Amino acid sequence: MTLEPPPGGFRGPVKRSITIAGHQTSISLEPVFWQALEAQAAARALPLSALVAAIDHARITKDDSPNLASAIRTWLFVERP
């Protein structure tokens, strides 16, 4: 089997700083995840930092929570109503 690389090629994580609850944090995500996260924030008419804060809040309320970047990636692939 032969697979073609995605348009633009394979790209590694990009680190961004975001303020959550008044605290600066850095998150490393691949560009495709940043694009999907920005689209979800726009669809909800939220600033990106507000959506990340909501995902973070949901993450920390669970036992054995993953790191924030993993929680974001997982959240983006969960089917929502």
Side-chain angles (χ1 to χ4, degrees):
M1 173 183 6
T2 302
L3 295 176
E4 294 295 319
F10 294 101
R11 296 186 50 210
V14 174
K15 185 179 278 193
R16 290 193 192 177
S17 294
I18 292 183
T19 302
I20 301 174
H23 299 284
Q24 195 85 5
T25 189
S26 293
I27 304 168
S28 292
L29 294 171
E30 292 75 8
V32 68
F33 288 104
W34 282 119
Q35 292 164 2
L37 190 61
E38 289 166 348
Q40 288 295 322
R44 289 167 172 70
L46 291 172
L48 185 63
S49 60
L51 179 56
V52 170
I55 294 169
D56 188 45
H57 181 265
R59 173 186 75 90
I60 62 175
T61 61
K62 303 297 179 192
D63 292 334
D64 212 19
S65 62
N67 66 48
L68 181 55
S70 294
I72 290 168
R73 288 184 191 100
T74 303
W75 182 85
L76 287 169
F77 276 93
V78 172
E79 188 173 329
R80 286 171 288 287

